């Protein structure tokens, strides 16, 4: 399919891009890797009159280690994140999740910023970003602001970015001594998560869970943090019975998605199984 006609802009600075976004905010889309947007445009599910390409803006693609965090430019691609030594060493969960996305072509084009802004309920990066307690920097007409991962995903394909904002940076804290894992049951054709679970945890001296964070994707209309499950595990040894109790808790109050890939019951069951497996994988990492 061919997209509906649109006017294309390739601004050379963030300021110029923000100006264009303000001018055309009612009917505009930002273009990063195009791996979600172009497909939607070709299917004519999105018909923006104006498209602002972010790729000519310098300074939006970097991976930098700072004292307690890793700073990632919004245009860093999944492949760059998968292969970055800095990320592998300091927050391997993010590399692990990036490596599971689609195929090499998608990972070479698709960006972290695009994945988060798109807020696909089956996206892998939202789960990892939630488990890593990351923060997103948004630039807008009033300046910059930081948004915590848990406040960022608000619903189906909806983030808390305002229409005139551009996501510019992702700040991922480093958790020394923590272990992690990302596991997903992937849809065979696309690789998207039918269920995906990201776990970061730290054990104390007596092998009890000192800290744990669980991000779940593919299950609800947005990726979410399984706080109630974490609370069951915190301070306790992660033994089999407790893991299963925590996994069940992670689904309480959640209305699972139902689609061609699975019924509500199937997804909820798969999620419980994958939560237990992901915690075990993190413990073994
Ligand atoms: C065949 C195929 C398989 C895939 N498999 C997977 C998979 O297994 N797992 C997975 O998680 N994803 C998968 N994807 C999606 C992929 O991860 C995309 O990279 C991602 O969804 C969007 O990133 P992008 O950079 O391509 O964004 P784009 O498609 O360019 O943009 C997506 C949306 O985000 C907005 N946007 C982009 N950048 C910004 C920004 N900096 N600030 C504000 N808004 C912005 C755009 O306006 C648009 O609305 C797949 C895609 C394809 C085509």
């Amino acid at each position: 399919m061919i997209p509906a006609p649109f006017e294309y802009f390739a601004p050379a600075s963030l300021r110029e891009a923000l100006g264009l976004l303000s001018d055309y905010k009612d009917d505009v889309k930002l273009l990063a890797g195009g791996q979600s947007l172009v497909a939607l445009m070709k299917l004519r599910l999105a018909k923006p009159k104006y498209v602002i390409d972010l790729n000519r803006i310098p300074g939006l693609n970097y991976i930098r280690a700072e004292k307690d965090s890793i700073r990632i430019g919004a245009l860093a691609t999944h492949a760059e994140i998968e292969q970055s030594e800095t990320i592998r060493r300091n927050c391997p969960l993010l590399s692990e999740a990036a490596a599971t996305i689609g195929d090499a072509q998608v990972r070479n084009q698709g960006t972290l910023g695009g994945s988060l802004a798109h807020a696909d309920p089956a996206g892998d990066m939202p789960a990892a970003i939630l488990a890593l307690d990351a923060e997103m920097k948004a630039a807008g007409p009033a300046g910059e602001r930081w948004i915590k991962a848990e406040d960022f995903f608000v619903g189906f394909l909806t983030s808390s970015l305002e229409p005139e904002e551009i996501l510019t940076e992702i700040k991922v804290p480093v958790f020394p001594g923590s272990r992690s894992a990302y596991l997903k049951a992937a849809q065979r054709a696309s690789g998207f998560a039918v269920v995906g679970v990201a776990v970061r945890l730290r054990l104390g001296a007596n092998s009890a869970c000192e800290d744990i964070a669980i991000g779940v994707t593919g299950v609800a209309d947005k990726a979410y943090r399984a706080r109630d499950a974490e609370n069951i595990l915190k301070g306790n040894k992660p033994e089999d019975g407790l893991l299963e109790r925590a996994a069940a808790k992670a689904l309480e109050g959640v209305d699972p998605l139902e689609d061609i890939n699975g019924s509500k019951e199937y997804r909820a069951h798969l999620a419980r199984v994958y939560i237990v497996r992901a915690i075990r994988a993190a413990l073994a990492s």
Side-chain angles (χ1 to χ4, degrees):
M1 286 264 303
I2 297 168
F6 59 90
E7 199 172 336
Y8 172 85
F9 297 97
S13 70
L14 188 60
R15 202 165 156 204
E16 191 187 343
L18 287 169
L20 287 163
L21 202 50
S22 285
D23 291 347
Y24 300 115
K25 61 175 176 282
D26 294 332
D27 212 348
V28 69
K29 280 284 180 195
L30 299 168
L31 175 73
Q35 297 302 293
S36 295
L37 180 62
V38 172
L40 289 173
M41 288 173 66
K42 284 185 167 181
L43 292 167
R44 301 210 175 193
L45 293 171
K47 290 188 270 185
K49 260 200 188 133
Y50 307 99
V51 170
I52 303 172
D53 188 346
L54 300 176
N55 288 283
R56 307 262 167 90
I57 302 175
L60 284 183
N61 184 354
Y62 51 87
I63 295 171
R64 214 168 37 227
E66 297 207 337
K67 195 165 162 271
D68 304 318
S69 64
I70 306 298
R71 305 290 187 120
I72 305 171
L75 287 187
T77 64
H78 304 315
E80 286 162 345
I81 288 166
E82 175 190 354
Q83 288 154 23
S84 158
E85 263 314 304
T86 303
I87 295 185
R88 284 186 181 188
R89 215 176 23 249
N90 294 291
C91 43
L93 178 57
L94 207 56
S95 296
E96 198 182 339
T100 71
I101 293 176
D103 51 33
Q105 196 175 346
V106 172
R107 294 195 293 278
N108 279 328
Q109 291 291 324
T111 67
L112 178 57
S115 274
L116 301 179
H118 193 54
D120 193 310
D124 297 296
M125 292 317 229
I129 283 298
L130 281 162
L132 287 165
D133 270 331
E135 288 183 62
M136 274 52 84
K137 183 157 86 177
E144 292 176 341
R145 68 178 177 122
W146 285 97
I147 309 167
K148 288 184 192 312
E150 243 176 313
D151 300 327
F152 191 80
F153 306 104
V154 297
F156 184 78
L157 298 182
T158 309
S159 78
S160 57
L161 289 170
E162 295 293 337
E164 290 182 57
E165 285 182 324
I166 298 176
L167 173 59
T168 56
E169 185 178 272
I170 298 90
K171 180 168 73 172
V172 186
V174 174
F175 295 92
S178 71
R179 307 156 185 238
S180 61
Y182 182 67
L183 284 194
K184 80 168 158 178
Q187 206 272 348
R188 284 198 173 206
S190 68
F192 271 110
V194 180
V195 163
V197 180
V199 172
R200 167 183 61 79
L201 60 83
R202 193 181 64 244
L203 294 181
N206 60 353
S207 298
C209 254
E210 255 182 17
D211 190 19
I212 181 159
I214 305 170
V216 181
T217 192
V219 178
D221 66 346
K222 61 172 185 169
Y224 68 95
R225 184 87 180 253
R227 288 275 181 192
D228 291 344
E230 294 168 13
N231 289 337
I232 287 183
L233 291 161
K234 268 184 202 156
N236 293 306
K237 286 191 183 171
E239 286 163 353
D240 285 358
L242 196 66
L243 293 191
E244 270 145 34
R245 200 149 68 76
K249 198 78 182 164
L251 272 296
E252 271 183 25
V254 174
D255 183 21
L257 296 169
E258 184 161 41
D259 58 22
I260 191 171
N261 298 309
S263 64
K264 285 178 189 287
E265 295 74 20
Y266 173 75
R267 261 206 168 79
H269 175 74
L270 201 61
R272 285 191 289 268
V273 170
Y274 269 73
I275 288 169
V276 172
R277 285 189 190 170
I279 296 171
R280 286 203 187 116
L283 287 167
S285 68

